[in-house]
């Protein structure tokens, strides 16, 4: 249960590389709680808080993914920004993994949100954010906009691909932002790897996937609470804008109604076709019998 099978989750351990003295970790997003359970098993002295907005996600994890009670684990069923507004607790590491394949909560991507995260980090604190996209083309707009936005609150930022160095390949992209103003290069990261041997990173080849070049951001906006147009950015999974009318995460009741109504309409049309076909065959058979007689 504590093993990490999805490659991108292993990159959560970059936090240990950038800030070796981990005591308190915050996960924004629950999912199957695989990363959380792995951290508990790997680092026996840390305390973990998890903020998950959907109570069913928590229930499913408890029922099917061996999420057991642990004195070092606290789970909060809440919105991340609301939770952070009600606590003064500070963390060495905050991991952001609250984005679905067809839904991106805009208020967890803005400059104001990252300022809140900065206030809840200790002086050596690190943010790790997981996004899906590319680093080139239309499907790169969201990762590059988030990277640009995080750069306003944090003096140093790093971008890692998780599957390969093809910048046009759709994959999980990890953004690491630190309060440490020193921007490390590949040589520095290699030295950190030698000093802080982290087994969970051993098969990720993360040094080879570090995008050590100037990320183009002049054509993407800084995301703010007043202007965070993530719904217009291209979703790399569906090749459509986020928040389209067919999204299962749509917040618009009329869209949900339309989706359900469409299903009902198709069902009724199929019923009409079946009945029409049955009656047509019956009429044809009667005519055929009369013609024979």
């Amino acid at each position: 249960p504590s093993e990490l099978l999805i490659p991108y989750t292993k990159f959560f351990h970059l936090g240990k590389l950038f800030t070796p003295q981990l005591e308190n970790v915050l996960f924004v997003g629950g999912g199957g709680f695989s990363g959380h359970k792995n951290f508990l098993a790997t680092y026996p002295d840390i305390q973990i808080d998890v903020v998950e907005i959907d109570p069913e996600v928590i229930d499913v994890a408890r029922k099917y993914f061996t999420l057991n009670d642990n004195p070092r684990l606290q789970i909060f069923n809440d919105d991340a920004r609301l939770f952070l507004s009600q606590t003064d607790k500070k963390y060495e590491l905050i991991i952001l993994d609250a984005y679905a394949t067809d839904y991106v909560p805009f208020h967890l991507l803005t400059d104001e949100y990252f300022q809140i995260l900065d206030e809840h980090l200790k002086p050596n604190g690190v943010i790790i954010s997981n996004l899906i996209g590319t680093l080139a083309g239309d499907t790169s707009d969201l990762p590059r906009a988030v990277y640009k936005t995080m750069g306003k609150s944090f003096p140093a930022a790093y971008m890692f691909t998780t599957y390969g160095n093809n910048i046009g390949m759709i994959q999980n992209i990890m953004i690491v932002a630190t309060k440490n103003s020193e921007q490390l290069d590949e040589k520095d990261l290699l030295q950190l790897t030698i000093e802080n041997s982290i087994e969970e990173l051993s098969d990720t080849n993360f040094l080879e996937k570090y995008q050590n070049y100037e990320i183009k951001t002049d054509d993407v906006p800084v995301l703010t609470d007043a202007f965070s147009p993530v719904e217009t950015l291209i979703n790399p999974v569906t090749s459509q804008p986020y928040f389209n009318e067919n999204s299962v995460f749509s917040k618009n009741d009329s869209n949900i109604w339309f989706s359900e109504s469409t299903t009902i309409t198709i069902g009724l049309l199929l019923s009409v076709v079946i009945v029409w076909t049955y009656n047509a065959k019956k009429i044809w058979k009667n005519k055929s019998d009369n013609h024979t007689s």
Side-chain angles (χ1 to χ4, degrees):
S2 62
E3 186 177 351
L4 296 177
L5 298 180
I6 304 176
Y8 87 87
T9 58
K10 297 180 180 181
F11 283 75
F12 293 162
H13 290 277
L14 285 171
K16 180 71 171 176
L17 184 71
F18 284 92
T19 177
Q21 303 302 318
L22 285 183
E23 295 181 3
N24 293 283
V25 177
L26 172 65
F27 279 83
V28 176
F33 285 79
S34 59
H36 320 63
K37 291 179 295 183
N38 178 266
F39 266 56
L40 287 173
T42 305
Y43 309 122
D45 297 324
I46 66 169
Q47 299 286 328
I48 296 179
D49 290 343
V50 184
V51 185
E52 169 55 54
I53 195 170
D54 189 344
E56 292 188 6
V57 168
I58 300 171
D59 292 342
V60 167
R62 291 190 186 281
K63 186 174 182 179
Y64 297 106
F65 295 100
T66 61
L67 176 62
N68 301 317
D69 291 337
N70 189 309
R72 297 190 290 121
L73 175 68
Q74 290 193 82
I75 301 173
F76 301 89
N77 177 208
D78 208 342
D79 173 81
R81 281 184 69 158
L82 183 60
F83 167 79
L84 289 169
S85 71
Q86 298 172 341
T87 180
D88 295 325
K89 190 171 182 179
K90 294 182 182 290
Y91 304 88
E92 287 86 16
L93 173 62
I94 300 178
I95 296 175
L96 310 178
D97 192 25
Y99 318 120
T101 56
D102 68 344
Y103 173 73
V104 177
F106 82 92
H107 68 298
L108 300 185
L109 296 171
T110 65
D111 181 40
E112 290 84 351
Y113 175 57
F114 292 128
Q115 289 178 29
I116 293 172
L117 294 180
D118 181 37
E119 293 169 359
H120 285 81
L121 281 179
K122 293 183 180 180
N124 59 336
V126 175
I127 301 286
I128 296 180
S129 177
N130 167 48
L131 292 169
I132 296 177
T134 63
L135 293 180
D138 291 341
T139 51
S140 70
D141 289 352
L142 183 60
R144 292 187 298 114
V146 173
Y147 178 80
K148 181 177 184 178
T149 304
M150 292 178 79
K152 287 199 64 183
S153 296
F154 300 98
Y158 307 81
M159 191 172 281
F160 297 84
T161 53
T162 57
Y163 285 90
N165 277 323
N166 183 348
I167 61 174
M169 176 184 178
I170 295 172
Q171 58 186 305
N172 293 87
I173 295 171
M174 313 302 289
I175 302 175
V176 179
T178 73
K179 289 177 75 76
N180 186 340
S181 60
E182 182 184 5
Q183 183 78 35
L184 305 178
D185 58 20
E186 288 176 295
K187 183 179 179 180
D188 297 325
L189 292 178
L190 176 60
Q191 184 61 36
L192 281 180
T193 305
I194 296 172
E195 295 173 359
N196 306 295
S197 178
I198 302 173
E199 183 179 349
E200 287 70 18
L201 288 173
S202 61
D203 62 347
T204 63
N205 296 321
F206 73 94
L207 282 175
E208 298 176 9
K209 297 169 184 173
Y210 170 39
Q211 304 304 306
N212 190 20
Y213 60 91
E214 185 175 354
I215 305 295
K216 177 179 171 62
T217 59
D218 58 352
D219 60 338
V220 292
V222 170
L223 304 176
T224 68
D225 285 352
F227 183 71
S228 184
V230 297
E231 71 275 5
T232 65
L233 301 177
I234 297 298
N235 183 339
V237 177
T238 65
S239 297
Q240 297 176 353
Y242 288 97
F243 296 127
N244 67 78
E245 63 183 12
N246 295 316
S247 171
V248 297
F249 289 94
S250 173
K251 301 302 181 185
N252 187 329
D253 289 339
S254 64
N255 287 338
I256 298 174
W257 175 88
F258 174 80
S259 177
E260 293 172 349
S261 176
T262 302
T263 303
I264 294 172
T265 302
I266 292 172
L268 289 173
L269 287 173
L270 287 173
S271 299
V272 170
V273 170
I274 292 171
V275 171
W276 181 88
T277 303
Y278 173 81
N279 288 333
K281 287 183 177 180
K282 187 175 181 180
I283 293 171
W284 178 84
K285 185 177 185 299
N286 288 339
K287 286 184 177 182
S288 177
D289 291 341
N290 292 334
H291 178 75
T292 303
S293 61

